[in-house]
Each structure stands twice: as structure tokens, then as C-alpha cells.
Amino acid sequence: MCLSRWTTAPKSTAWPAKDNAYRVARQGDTTTSPTTKTNIIMKQTLIYGAFAAALAVMPSAAEACTNLIAAKGATTDGSVMMTYSADSHNLFGFLRHSPAARHEKGAVRKIFEWDTNKPLGEIPEVAETYNVVGNMNEHQVSIGESTWGGHEELLDTTGNSVMDYGSLIYVALERSKTAREALDVMTDLVAKYGYASDGESFTIADKNEVWVLEMIGKGAEKGAVWIAVRIPDNAITGHANEPRIRKVNLKDKEKVRHSKDVISFARKRGYFNGKDEDFSFADAYAVHDAGTRRGCDGRVWSYFRRFSKDADKYFSWINADSDEPMPLYIVPDRKVSLAEMQEAMRDHFEGTPYEMTSDIGAGPYHVPYRWRPMEYEVDGKKYCMERAIATQQTGWSYVSQSRDWLPDPVGGLFWFGTDDTNTSVYMPFYCGMTEVPAELAEGDINTLSLNSNFWVNNIVANQAYNRYDQMIPDIRKVQGRLEKGFRESRSARDNELKAKVEAGDKAGYLKAVNAEGASIAKEATDAYRDLAGYLFVKYMDGNVKKTDEEGRFIKSEYGLPVYPTFPGYDKRYYENIVKETGDRFLLKN
């Protein structure tokens, strides 16, 4: 579950992490790479040393998800793009796959709660289900989510509800050819079988359009109340653990859909008593305070301001200086590229009053991360840590592209990354892919494997969390090289695959996309395994070893390593020592 917990957030029950979302199989620590030197270094130093210690002190509470959205008229290439980060301290990052299948009459689909793996029941299976790679199906439909909780009394109290939010996502992907079909599937399922989760926002995108669906349960009553809005083709939007649909034209059936009782139920429960035309789903079914505005809507605002010079005017809402809400969507000043969408997922509030690398919490290495909990108290007053889009507890994330000018098996691109969005690599996989690369297979959050993309990314990121400003340039070089290569190679690959699809060569298509997927995952994982070892060697013992422009270690004319530099700490670190200790360390003349 992806919920941001703040001091003043809406009341709710304890939130389980996505730790047992699917029955995970432990990965053995077998080494398949011929480059054994790096593996030996990693095993003998990182695994049994500082790296293991760093993991041991990480807290385990779930901490929020982010969806960023750009409709096709707002993107540089005309694709519909959306992002999703699955953020949980106990979530293993792997690429989910559900193969296309035909089912006999009378077949059933068992439903397990995504967060706990608890059996919730079963529903009738449909005759045909579609291939799903991650959160995208073979028809270019992609679905993401973020949880906002809402009124505690609207949690299901019957114990009979079958459909939780995760099951809604994946069942809809298995059964839908368009975003509207997915919307119908999801809302029909909760009406028939009940809704077993909390307040939730969903992004539902296809190659032509994108919808935001917001939903919450009805307590002792079966089903859910919900509202959905089609985002204009020229707009961008997002949601991050706050419901964002407020006053809309409920009579516009082409752009707005809702449950029949969305207003009457709010009236009955005392959440709303105004005119129908003034109804706001977000304000009726959730509470918005300083904490949720800053930690949740703040992430969407930081995305908006990247593409609109006027977005800074919404800072007063984010900072709780005004009660005028930020709009659901905006029209950007310029169109959004794929690279910019990926970059937006790495946001730490750069260039804003919430910028995270300059306050004392960033430490001497200007680290844009804050360990949990997100709140603390000093002298009876409560304070917060910033919650940016990029965060340490991300299990996996993606940027999906749905492209209407290409056949579906080629048009759907699922750019997938594991661990922290800031340091991970987005790898492109076509929506028709049917084999999960070994490096992205299911694993265990407690079992290290150096052949796993998730684990090598974590080793890189956790080293950077200690000496961020020194290490991040080295990480950017490798990350940038990989992602640039993946992006630039898409055009030729698209044309090759399009030709196979149009010729009816399904076998050739599958062979090509599965082979490339395996190659990409291996390339990214191998590169980061090498990067992890390189960072450890270069920055060991608080020093920085000298390198040339290509990053190679410099040796003296006699073939020995040259002496490293001692960067120490920044000026403010030393000033704070003196401020706190006075003359304790003063050298007397």
C-alpha cells in the first residue's frame, strides 16, 4: 500500500507493506557473470560490512506512491505517458508478468490482497485474458495508483469484500483493451464483489486517453463510491496520496463518470450538504491539512512547475498559506519528453523552498534524503521531513508510453526500474514481451543476490546516501549512458518489430522482444554491479581516489596508484562543530 503518513493525516488503521504481494521465491546467490573480481570484492566487503549494517537500521513502514501523467497532446512525440513508483520499505522490486490465456467455462480467479497476500475470495474468470508486463497489457493499457486513506469509518466492515486495490489493477489489465473498458471493469467488480481497500486514486491510460479514478469504500455497505475524470489531451496532471478531483461538470458524461450514489452517500454520512454542482469528491471523502498538502500535493506541484511558469502560484496551497486548491490538471507551457518524464521521477524539490540539499538535515555531503519517521517533535512543536518524489524506499517504478501510431505490441513501451528512482535505470520492455529477464525475477527483500537488478541498484544507492554530492556524478554517468542508449535505439527497434507484426510473424516478434529484454536487463544489472564496486573502491576510507576524464584510476609513472585526496566536510559542518563544542577542539597557540 502506498500511503504517506503524517502527524495530521486522516485516521486509519496500520498499513501493511507490499512485502508478500506475490508468493516470492528466494533467489540463490549464484554468480553467473564471468567478471568474478567485482563479485568477490562486493561479497567480502559490502555484503558483510557497512552495506549490511546500513540496511539493518532502515525502518519498515510503507511510505507513499506517486503518479505523474501527460496526455498525448502534451508530449513531444504524441504518446500518452504516465509514471508510477511503488514505495514501500519492505517491497522487493521485480517485473511482474501474467501471460495471455484462454479459460474454460466455470473457471475462477482467486484474489489475494496485494499488501498481505491474504486470500480474499474468488471471482469468475473471463474467457480470455491478456498478456500483462508489469503494469501494462498487450493493448497498451497501463494502470497505476496512490493511496490516501480517507475516512476511517468507510473501510469495509463486512469482511466479505473480495476486491482490493491491487487486484483491481491487475484483473483490469488482464481484461481490458482500452482505458474506458478498464474503468468499467474496476467499478463493476467493486459493485459486485465489494471493495476491500482504503481511499485510492488510480491512473488508467491507453494509447488515446488517460483517466483519473478516485474510489473509497462504504463501511458496512457493499461496494464503493467513486468518480473518474478524463484528462484533456493537452494537459498534465498527477496524484500522490491525496484525492484531487474536486468540482467538475457531472453532466459531461463523455469526460466525467461516477457512481450513482457518490453525492447522496456523502450527504447521508454528513460529508457534504451543499448543491450538487458544488460537490467535491476530494473534500467530501478526505481531510486535507498542512501535512498532506506538503507531503502529497507538494510532489504534484513540483512536477507542474517543471513545465509551467505559472505553477508557483499554487505554492500557497502546498504551504498551507491559502485554502484555494491546486487544480486537478494544467496545460504546460511546453510539451513533455520521455527523458523529462523520467527526470521528473527523480525530483527532490530542486529549485523550490523545499529543496533538500542545503538545510542542515542534508549533512556535509548535501544528501537529499531523510530517514523515517517523517515527523519529529522539538520543545513541544511538531516538524516534518520533506517527502519528495524520489525516495529511498521505492521498490520499483515505471514510465509507460502508449503510442497510437504503432501496432499495439510495438506501441506499448514499459520503462521499468527498481529501487530509488533517482539512481535506478529505466529499462524499456515492449508490452508484448512474454519472458521476464532473470535479473528482474521475483526475489526476497531479506536475501541478497548480486545477479538481481534490485540488489545491485540498492548497493549503489545506499553508498550514495552517505556521500551524495561526491558520488552522484559517477552514478549519473553510468545511468545517463544506459538510458540515452536505450532511448536512441527505440526508433530502429520499433521499425524492426513493426515489420514483423505487420507481416504476421508473431514468433519472430516474440523472439526479438524477449531476447532484447533479457539483453537490456543484463546490461543494466552488470553495469550497476560494476558501478557498485567502483564506488566502493574510489571512495573507501573517506578518501577520493584520483581518476582521469574517463573515470579510470590514475597511476604514477612507476605504476603505483597515486595518493588519494581528502575532501573532508563542507564549511558549515566545521562551523557547527565549533558552535556546539566551543573551544573543546581549539588548538591553543
Side-chain angles (χ1 to χ4, degrees):
M1 181 168 294
C2 295
L3 179 68
S4 180
R5 301 285 297 185
W6 288 81
T7 310
T8 52
K11 295 179 180 179
S12 189
T13 56
W15 306 110
K18 292 176 181 167
D19 51 340
N20 293 311
Y22 306 99
R23 293 183 179 91
V24 296
R26 286 178 174 265
Q27 287 182 298
D29 195 16
T30 57
T31 301
T32 58
S33 172
T35 309
T36 58
K37 182 179 294 185
T38 300
N39 287 353
I40 293 172
I41 293 173
M42 298 300 296
K43 289 180 181 179
Q44 293 182 344
T45 56
L46 294 175
I47 300 173
Y48 304 115
F51 172 61
L55 287 180
V57 299
M58 293 295 290
S60 60
E63 292 286 355
C65 300
T66 304
N67 286 199
L68 307 179
I69 302 158
K72 65 180 182 179
T75 63
T76 55
D77 66 354
S79 63
V80 176
M81 290 193 288
M82 65 160 290
T83 78
Y84 173 40
S85 60
D87 302 340
S88 167
H89 293 279
N90 215 26
L91 177 64
F92 185 88
F94 70 96
L95 184 62
R96 187 182 189 274
H97 175 241
S98 177
R102 294 187 178 275
H103 307 277
E104 296 181 357
K105 187 176 181 179
V108 297
R109 190 192 195 283
K110 296 185 182 297
I111 302 297
F112 297 89
E113 188 174 42
W114 195 16
D115 292 317
T116 66
N117 208 36
K118 172 186 175 183
L120 294 178
E122 58 186 34
I123 61 175
E125 189 58 279
V126 293
E128 181 182 11
T129 52
Y130 306 126
N131 188 70
V132 180
V133 178
N135 283 50
M136 190 179 215
N137 74 14
E138 63 182 280
H139 299 290
Q140 305 195 58
V141 177
S142 183
I143 306 177
E145 58 80 26
S146 71
T147 305
W148 40 269
H151 297 298
E152 183 182 50
E153 63 270 20
L154 297 186
L155 284 167
D156 172 59
T157 59
T158 69
N160 298 319
S161 293
V162 174
M163 301 306 300
D164 72 308
Y165 75 101
S167 299
L168 284 177
I169 291 174
Y170 294 110
V171 172
L173 287 171
E174 292 170 5
R175 300 182 178 191
S176 307
K177 291 185 176 181
T178 68
R180 295 187 187 221
E181 282 188 11
L183 176 58
D184 289 341
V185 168
M186 295 169 77
T187 55
D188 287 348
L189 284 171
V190 295
K192 291 179 182 178
Y193 304 106
Y195 181 56
S197 293
D198 310 273
E200 195 79 27
S201 295
F202 300 92
T203 303
I204 311 173
D206 64 22
K207 59 190 175 184
N208 295 308
E209 59 183 4
V210 58
W211 290 73
V212 172
L213 163 67
E214 297 189 332
M215 175 183 293
I216 194 169
K218 300 166 70 175
E221 298 183 38
K222 185 178 181 180
V225 287
W226 57 271
I227 190 167
V229 173
R230 184 187 187 280
I231 304 303
D233 287 344
N234 63 344
I236 64 174
T237 186
H239 54 86
N241 311 114
E242 277 277 87
R244 303 201 57 247
I245 299 176
R246 289 186 163 82
K247 185 177 177 180
V248 294
N249 182 4
L250 298 174
K251 297 180 180 180
D252 188 346
K253 304 302 182 183
E254 181 63 21
K255 298 178 182 178
V256 178
R257 296 186 179 187
H258 58 85
S259 59
K260 293 180 180 180
D261 60 347
V262 69
I263 298 179
S264 61
F265 184 80
R267 292 186 189 280
K268 181 172 68 174
R269 298 302 294 256
Y271 305 143
F272 175 71
N273 59 10
K275 298 179 181 179
D276 283 4
E277 56 265 32
D278 294 327
F279 175 73
S280 164
F281 183 94
D283 295 315
Y285 290 107
V287 177
H288 309 270
D289 51 40
T292 58
R293 292 187 196 183
R294 183 166 183 161
C296 302
D297 277 356
R299 284 174 267 159
V300 179
W301 166 74
S302 196
Y303 168 57
F304 280 0
R305 70 184 304 276
R306 285 173 174 263
F307 303 102
S308 172
K309 61 181 181 298
D310 296 326
D312 279 344
K313 65 186 178 184
Y314 306 127
F315 181 72
S316 58
W317 163 257
I318 302 304
N319 206 46
D321 297 322
S322 168
D323 289 329
E324 180 64 30
M326 182 172 63
L328 173 61
Y329 55 81
I330 65 169
V331 176
D333 297 336
R334 57 185 176 82
K335 295 187 176 184
V336 183
S337 71
L338 170 63
E340 288 174 318
M341 204 68 165
Q342 294 172 341
E343 183 65 24
M345 289 299 287
R346 293 166 176 147
D347 186 89
H348 294 112
F349 291 115
E350 288 86 353
T352 79
Y354 296 160
E355 189 274 327
M356 300 175 71
T357 61
S358 58
D359 67 278
I360 194 168
Y365 299 114
H366 308 281
V367 180
Y369 292 90
R370 304 294 183 271
W371 301 152
R372 301 303 184 253
M374 294 176 65
E375 60 195 39
Y376 57 97
E377 186 172 310
V378 176
D379 296 332
K381 295 182 179 181
K382 293 181 179 179
Y383 298 85
C384 71
M385 298 290 192
E386 303 295 359
R387 178 22 171 126
I389 293 173
T391 185
Q392 62 270 16
Q393 73 266 19
T394 301
W396 50 266
S397 68
Y398 70 79
V399 179
S400 66
Q401 278 189 292
S402 300
R403 305 176 293 176
D404 64 1
W405 63 92
L406 290 166
D408 283 343
V410 185
L413 263 179
F414 192 73
W415 296 82
F416 182 74
T418 64
D419 193 42
D420 187 343
T421 57
N422 182 49
T423 48
S424 66
V425 173
Y426 283 115
M427 302 166 284
F429 303 111
Y430 287 93
C431 66
M433 188 173 77
T434 59
E435 297 176 3
V436 174
E439 293 80 4
L440 297 174
E442 292 181 75
D444 185 344
I445 195 72
N446 294 327
T447 305
L448 181 69
S449 169
L450 297 182
N451 300 313
S452 163
N453 186 265
F454 173 78
W455 279 115
V456 297
N457 285 356
N458 264 281
I459 297 172
V460 167
N462 275 266
Q463 290 187 84
Y465 296 155
N466 295 316
R467 294 169 68 182
Y468 185 81
D469 60 354
Q470 295 177 5
M471 291 189 181
I472 195 62
D474 290 316
I475 296 172
R476 288 283 185 257
K477 288 177 183 178
V478 178
Q479 179 190 59
R481 173 180 58 80
L482 289 166
E483 289 186 341
K484 182 180 179 182
F486 295 152
R487 289 193 300 265
E488 291 181 347
S489 62
R490 286 314 91 200
S491 179
R493 181 63 60 166
D494 288 347
N495 291 334
E496 175 189 335
L497 295 174
K498 178 183 177 183
K500 292 181 184 298
V501 171
E502 291 179 342
D505 184 8
K506 182 177 180 180
Y509 164 83
L510 289 176
K511 182 179 179 180
V513 296
N514 289 333
E516 187 193 33
S519 175
I520 285 173
K522 186 178 188 307
E523 180 184 1
T525 304
D526 288 351
Y528 262 49
R529 187 189 303 111
D530 290 343
L531 175 60
Y534 175 82
L535 293 175
F536 183 83
V537 172
K538 182 176 179 178
Y539 296 97
M540 64 184 290
D541 297 336
N543 304 327
V544 178
K545 292 180 180 175
K546 295 177 181 177
T547 60
D548 61 20
E549 293 181 356
E550 300 299 323
R552 294 170 299 204
F553 295 116
I554 299 174
K555 291 186 177 182
S556 72
E557 59 183 312
Y558 305 111
L560 295 179
V562 299
Y563 217 59
T565 60
F566 311 126
Y569 306 96
D570 67 358
K571 181 180 178 182
R572 186 168 56 178
Y573 180 85
Y574 296 116
E575 291 174 342
N576 282 329
I577 291 177
V578 175
K579 181 179 178 180
E580 290 291 324
T581 64
D583 291 343
R584 176 181 171 184
F585 299 108
L586 179 65
L587 293 175
K588 300 177 181 178
N589 293 329

PDB file of all heavy atoms in Angstrom, residues 506-530:
ATOM      1  N   LYS A 506       4.509 -13.507 -35.663  1.00  0.00           N
ATOM      2  CA  LYS A 506       4.410 -13.418 -34.205  1.00  0.00           C
ATOM      3  C   LYS A 506       5.591 -14.077 -33.519  1.00  0.00           C
ATOM      4  O   LYS A 506       6.138 -13.550 -32.539  1.00  0.00           O
ATOM      5  CB  LYS A 506       3.110 -14.062 -33.726  1.00  0.00           C
ATOM      6  CG  LYS A 506       2.906 -13.974 -32.220  1.00  0.00           C
ATOM      7  CD  LYS A 506       1.573 -14.562 -31.800  1.00  0.00           C
ATOM      8  CE  LYS A 506       1.384 -14.457 -30.291  1.00  0.00           C
ATOM      9  NZ  LYS A 506       0.086 -15.036 -29.855  1.00  0.00           N
ATOM     10  N   ALA A 507       6.017 -15.220 -34.039  1.00  0.00           N
ATOM     11  CA  ALA A 507       7.148 -15.926 -33.439  1.00  0.00           C
ATOM     12  C   ALA A 507       8.415 -15.078 -33.513  1.00  0.00           C
ATOM     13  O   ALA A 507       9.190 -15.009 -32.549  1.00  0.00           O
ATOM     14  CB  ALA A 507       7.356 -17.265 -34.139  1.00  0.00           C
ATOM     15  N   GLY A 508       8.612 -14.421 -34.661  1.00  0.00           N
ATOM     16  CA  GLY A 508       9.779 -13.562 -34.807  1.00  0.00           C
ATOM     17  C   GLY A 508       9.728 -12.365 -33.878  1.00  0.00           C
ATOM     18  O   GLY A 508      10.755 -11.961 -33.313  1.00  0.00           O
ATOM     19  N   TYR A 509       8.529 -11.807 -33.725  1.00  0.00           N
ATOM     20  CA  TYR A 509       8.352 -10.678 -32.801  1.00  0.00           C
ATOM     21  C   TYR A 509       8.707 -11.090 -31.375  1.00  0.00           C
ATOM     22  O   TYR A 509       9.471 -10.414 -30.680  1.00  0.00           O
ATOM     23  CB  TYR A 509       6.918 -10.165 -32.860  1.00  0.00           C
ATOM     24  CG  TYR A 509       6.543  -9.280 -31.700  1.00  0.00           C
ATOM     25  CD1 TYR A 509       6.863  -7.923 -31.700  1.00  0.00           C
ATOM     26  CD2 TYR A 509       5.905  -9.809 -30.581  1.00  0.00           C
ATOM     27  CE1 TYR A 509       6.548  -7.120 -30.614  1.00  0.00           C
ATOM     28  CE2 TYR A 509       5.586  -9.017 -29.496  1.00  0.00           C
ATOM     29  CZ  TYR A 509       5.910  -7.667 -29.513  1.00  0.00           C
ATOM     30  OH  TYR A 509       5.596  -6.874 -28.433  1.00  0.00           O
ATOM     31  N   LEU A 510       8.129 -12.202 -30.919  1.00  0.00           N
ATOM     32  CA  LEU A 510       8.357 -12.643 -29.542  1.00  0.00           C
ATOM     33  C   LEU A 510       9.823 -12.969 -29.299  1.00  0.00           C
ATOM     34  O   LEU A 510      10.377 -12.631 -28.247  1.00  0.00           O
ATOM     35  CB  LEU A 510       7.485 -13.859 -29.229  1.00  0.00           C
ATOM     36  CG  LEU A 510       5.987 -13.602 -29.090  1.00  0.00           C
ATOM     37  CD1 LEU A 510       5.236 -14.898 -28.890  1.00  0.00           C
ATOM     38  CD2 LEU A 510       5.708 -12.640 -27.939  1.00  0.00           C
ATOM     39  N   LYS A 511      10.448 -13.612 -30.251  1.00  0.00           N
ATOM     40  CA  LYS A 511      11.863 -13.933 -30.106  1.00  0.00           C
ATOM     41  C   LYS A 511      12.682 -12.666 -29.958  1.00  0.00           C
ATOM     42  O   LYS A 511      13.586 -12.588 -29.101  1.00  0.00           O
ATOM     43  CB  LYS A 511      12.351 -14.735 -31.311  1.00  0.00           C
ATOM     44  CG  LYS A 511      13.810 -15.156 -31.212  1.00  0.00           C
ATOM     45  CD  LYS A 511      14.226 -15.982 -32.424  1.00  0.00           C
ATOM     46  CE  LYS A 511      15.691 -16.387 -32.333  1.00  0.00           C
ATOM     47  NZ  LYS A 511      16.113 -17.191 -33.528  1.00  0.00           N
ATOM     48  N   ALA A 512      12.346 -11.651 -30.761  1.00  0.00           N
ATOM     49  CA  ALA A 512      13.104 -10.396 -30.735  1.00  0.00           C
ATOM     50  C   ALA A 512      12.901  -9.633 -29.426  1.00  0.00           C
ATOM     51  O   ALA A 512      13.871  -9.179 -28.812  1.00  0.00           O
ATOM     52  CB  ALA A 512      12.708  -9.525 -31.926  1.00  0.00           C
ATOM     53  N   VAL A 513      11.650  -9.464 -28.985  1.00  0.00           N
ATOM     54  CA  VAL A 513      11.409  -8.659 -27.777  1.00  0.00           C
ATOM     55  C   VAL A 513      11.898  -9.374 -26.527  1.00  0.00           C
ATOM     56  O   VAL A 513      12.403  -8.734 -25.589  1.00  0.00           O
ATOM     57  CB  VAL A 513       9.926  -8.259 -27.630  1.00  0.00           C
ATOM     58  CG1 VAL A 513       9.497  -7.368 -28.773  1.00  0.00           C
ATOM     59  CG2 VAL A 513       9.019  -9.475 -27.522  1.00  0.00           C
ATOM     60  N   ASN A 514      11.770 -10.692 -26.482  1.00  0.00           N
ATOM     61  CA  ASN A 514      12.259 -11.421 -25.310  1.00  0.00           C
ATOM     62  C   ASN A 514      13.778 -11.410 -25.233  1.00  0.00           C
ATOM     63  O   ASN A 514      14.365 -11.246 -24.160  1.00  0.00           O
ATOM     64  CB  ASN A 514      11.728 -12.847 -25.325  1.00  0.00           C
ATOM     65  CG  ASN A 514      10.239 -12.934 -25.026  1.00  0.00           C
ATOM     66  OD1 ASN A 514       9.690 -12.076 -24.345  1.00  0.00           O
ATOM     67  ND2 ASN A 514       9.589 -13.965 -25.548  1.00  0.00           N
ATOM     68  N   ALA A 515      14.423 -11.552 -26.397  1.00  0.00           N
ATOM     69  CA  ALA A 515      15.887 -11.529 -26.414  1.00  0.00           C
ATOM     70  C   ALA A 515      16.409 -10.146 -26.049  1.00  0.00           C
ATOM     71  O   ALA A 515      17.365 -10.019 -25.270  1.00  0.00           O
ATOM     72  CB  ALA A 515      16.397 -11.935 -27.792  1.00  0.00           C
ATOM     73  N   GLU A 516      15.780  -9.100 -26.604  1.00  0.00           N
ATOM     74  CA  GLU A 516      16.243  -7.757 -26.273  1.00  0.00           C
ATOM     75  C   GLU A 516      15.981  -7.439 -24.805  1.00  0.00           C
ATOM     76  O   GLU A 516      16.808  -6.819 -24.136  1.00  0.00           O
ATOM     77  CB  GLU A 516      15.577  -6.702 -27.153  1.00  0.00           C
ATOM     78  CG  GLU A 516      16.201  -5.334 -26.915  1.00  0.00           C
ATOM     79  CD  GLU A 516      15.415  -4.177 -27.493  1.00  0.00           C
ATOM     80  OE1 GLU A 516      14.185  -4.253 -27.532  1.00  0.00           O
ATOM     81  OE2 GLU A 516      16.056  -3.191 -27.891  1.00  0.00           O
ATOM     82  N   GLY A 517      14.830  -7.844 -24.288  1.00  0.00           N
ATOM     83  CA  GLY A 517      14.541  -7.614 -22.877  1.00  0.00           C
ATOM     84  C   GLY A 517      15.581  -8.239 -21.974  1.00  0.00           C
ATOM     85  O   GLY A 517      16.050  -7.622 -21.007  1.00  0.00           O
ATOM     86  N   ALA A 518      15.958  -9.474 -22.291  1.00  0.00           N
ATOM     87  CA  ALA A 518      16.984 -10.151 -21.499  1.00  0.00           C
ATOM     88  C   ALA A 518      18.317  -9.432 -21.600  1.00  0.00           C
ATOM     89  O   ALA A 518      19.035  -9.275 -20.604  1.00  0.00           O
ATOM     90  CB  ALA A 518      17.120 -11.605 -21.976  1.00  0.00           C
ATOM     91  N   SER A 519      18.649  -8.961 -22.807  1.00  0.00           N
ATOM     92  CA  SER A 519      19.925  -8.266 -23.017  1.00  0.00           C
ATOM     93  C   SER A 519      19.967  -6.943 -22.262  1.00  0.00           C
ATOM     94  O   SER A 519      20.981  -6.602 -21.639  1.00  0.00           O
ATOM     95  CB  SER A 519      20.131  -8.029 -24.513  1.00  0.00           C
ATOM     96  OG  SER A 519      21.294  -7.265 -24.754  1.00  0.00           O
ATOM     97  N   ILE A 520      18.863  -6.195 -22.308  1.00  0.00           N
ATOM     98  CA  ILE A 520      18.809  -4.905 -21.632  1.00  0.00           C
ATOM     99  C   ILE A 520      18.930  -5.072 -20.118  1.00  0.00           C
ATOM    100  O   ILE A 520      19.685  -4.348 -19.450  1.00  0.00           O
ATOM    101  CB  ILE A 520      17.508  -4.175 -22.004  1.00  0.00           C
ATOM    102  CG1 ILE A 520      17.608  -3.609 -23.422  1.00  0.00           C
ATOM    103  CG2 ILE A 520      17.181  -3.061 -21.006  1.00  0.00           C
ATOM    104  CD1 ILE A 520      16.323  -3.026 -23.953  1.00  0.00           C
ATOM    105  N   ALA A 521      18.193  -6.007 -19.556  1.00  0.00           N
ATOM    106  CA  ALA A 521      18.241  -6.224 -18.108  1.00  0.00           C
ATOM    107  C   ALA A 521      19.635  -6.644 -17.660  1.00  0.00           C
ATOM    108  O   ALA A 521      20.134  -6.199 -16.613  1.00  0.00           O
ATOM    109  CB  ALA A 521      17.217  -7.273 -17.699  1.00  0.00           C
ATOM    110  N   LYS A 522      20.266  -7.499 -18.449  1.00  0.00           N
ATOM    111  CA  LYS A 522      21.625  -7.942 -18.103  1.00  0.00           C
ATOM    112  C   LYS A 522      22.615  -6.786 -18.207  1.00  0.00           C
ATOM    113  O   LYS A 522      23.474  -6.603 -17.330  1.00  0.00           O
ATOM    114  CB  LYS A 522      22.063  -9.085 -19.009  1.00  0.00           C
ATOM    115  CG  LYS A 522      23.419  -9.686 -18.614  1.00  0.00           C
ATOM    116  CD  LYS A 522      23.797 -10.852 -19.505  1.00  0.00           C
ATOM    117  CE  LYS A 522      25.049 -11.553 -18.975  1.00  0.00           C
ATOM    118  NZ  LYS A 522      26.189 -10.640 -18.747  1.00  0.00           N
ATOM    119  N   GLU A 523      22.500  -5.988 -19.279  1.00  0.00           N
ATOM    120  CA  GLU A 523      23.414  -4.863 -19.453  1.00  0.00           C
ATOM    121  C   GLU A 523      23.304  -3.882 -18.290  1.00  0.00           C
ATOM    122  O   GLU A 523      24.326  -3.445 -17.731  1.00  0.00           O
ATOM    123  CB  GLU A 523      23.112  -4.145 -20.773  1.00  0.00           C
ATOM    124  CG  GLU A 523      24.024  -2.947 -21.027  1.00  0.00           C
ATOM    125  CD  GLU A 523      23.667  -2.183 -22.288  1.00  0.00           C
ATOM    126  OE1 GLU A 523      22.691  -2.571 -22.973  1.00  0.00           O
ATOM    127  OE2 GLU A 523      24.362  -1.188 -22.598  1.00  0.00           O
ATOM    128  N   ALA A 524      22.077  -3.525 -17.914  1.00  0.00           N
ATOM    129  CA  ALA A 524      21.883  -2.570 -16.825  1.00  0.00           C
ATOM    130  C   ALA A 524      22.356  -3.130 -15.497  1.00  0.00           C
ATOM    131  O   ALA A 524      22.978  -2.423 -14.689  1.00  0.00           O
ATOM    132  CB  ALA A 524      20.405  -2.173 -16.744  1.00  0.00           C
ATOM    133  N   THR A 525      22.083  -4.401 -15.249  1.00  0.00           N
ATOM    134  CA  THR A 525      22.472  -5.019 -13.982  1.00  0.00           C
ATOM    135  C   THR A 525      23.977  -5.187 -13.895  1.00  0.00           C
ATOM    136  O   THR A 525      24.594  -4.880 -12.859  1.00  0.00           O
ATOM    137  CB  THR A 525      21.770  -6.375 -13.824  1.00  0.00           C
ATOM    138  OG1 THR A 525      20.346  -6.187 -13.929  1.00  0.00           O
ATOM    139  CG2 THR A 525      22.097  -6.997 -12.473  1.00  0.00           C
ATOM    140  N   ASP A 526      24.594  -5.646 -14.966  1.00  0.00           N
ATOM    141  CA  ASP A 526      26.057  -5.791 -14.970  1.00  0.00           C
ATOM    142  C   ASP A 526      26.740  -4.438 -14.764  1.00  0.00           C
ATOM    143  O   ASP A 526      27.731  -4.327 -14.025  1.00  0.00           O
ATOM    144  CB  ASP A 526      26.524  -6.402 -16.292  1.00  0.00           C
ATOM    145  CG  ASP A 526      26.180  -7.883 -16.410  1.00  0.00           C
ATOM    146  OD1 ASP A 526      25.745  -8.469 -15.407  1.00  0.00           O
ATOM    147  OD2 ASP A 526      26.346  -8.442 -17.517  1.00  0.00           O
ATOM    148  N   ALA A 527      26.214  -3.410 -15.443  1.00  0.00           N
ATOM    149  CA  ALA A 527      26.819  -2.078 -15.331  1.00  0.00           C
ATOM    150  C   ALA A 527      26.736  -1.550 -13.906  1.00  0.00           C
ATOM    151  O   ALA A 527      27.698  -0.944 -13.394  1.00  0.00           O
ATOM    152  CB  ALA A 527      26.130  -1.108 -16.289  1.00  0.00           C
ATOM    153  N   TYR A 528      25.629  -1.794 -13.228  1.00  0.00           N
ATOM    154  CA  TYR A 528      25.490  -1.295 -11.866  1.00  0.00           C
ATOM    155  C   TYR A 528      26.243  -2.153 -10.856  1.00  0.00           C
ATOM    156  O   TYR A 528      26.668  -1.653  -9.810  1.00  0.00           O
ATOM    157  CB  TYR A 528      24.003  -1.165 -11.498  1.00  0.00           C
ATOM    158  CG  TYR A 528      23.506   0.252 -11.677  1.00  0.00           C
ATOM    159  CD1 TYR A 528      23.757   0.950 -12.857  1.00  0.00           C
ATOM    160  CD2 TYR A 528      22.814   0.907 -10.664  1.00  0.00           C
ATOM    161  CE1 TYR A 528      23.327   2.252 -13.026  1.00  0.00           C
ATOM    162  CE2 TYR A 528      22.380   2.206 -10.829  1.00  0.00           C
ATOM    163  CZ  TYR A 528      22.632   2.876 -12.006  1.00  0.00           C
ATOM    164  OH  TYR A 528      22.210   4.171 -12.155  1.00  0.00           O
ATOM    165  N   ARG A 529      26.409  -3.426 -11.141  1.00  0.00           N
ATOM    166  CA  ARG A 529      27.261  -4.240 -10.275  1.00  0.00           C
ATOM    167  C   ARG A 529      28.692  -3.723 -10.338  1.00  0.00           C
ATOM    168  O   ARG A 529      29.362  -3.562  -9.315  1.00  0.00           O
ATOM    169  CB  ARG A 529      27.208  -5.710 -10.702  1.00  0.00           C
ATOM    170  CG  ARG A 529      27.930  -6.639  -9.730  1.00  0.00           C
ATOM    171  CD  ARG A 529      28.062  -8.062 -10.274  1.00  0.00           C
ATOM    172  NE  ARG A 529      26.790  -8.639 -10.615  1.00  0.00           N
ATOM    173  CZ  ARG A 529      26.387  -8.910 -11.867  1.00  0.00           C
ATOM    174  NH1 ARG A 529      27.172  -8.604 -12.896  1.00  0.00           N
ATOM    175  NH2 ARG A 529      25.220  -9.453 -12.088  1.00  0.00           N
ATOM    176  N   ASP A 530      29.146  -3.426 -11.544  1.00  0.00           N
ATOM    177  CA  ASP A 530      30.481  -2.850 -11.698  1.00  0.00           C
ATOM    178  C   ASP A 530      30.560  -1.462 -11.055  1.00  0.00           C
ATOM    179  O   ASP A 530      31.565  -1.114 -10.429  1.00  0.00           O
ATOM    180  CB  ASP A 530      30.844  -2.754 -13.176  1.00  0.00           C
ATOM    181  CG  ASP A 530      31.085  -4.114 -13.822  1.00  0.00           C
ATOM    182  OD1 ASP A 530      31.291  -5.094 -13.083  1.00  0.00           O
ATOM    183  OD2 ASP A 530      31.040  -4.187 -15.063  1.00  0.00           O
TER     184      ASP A 530
END
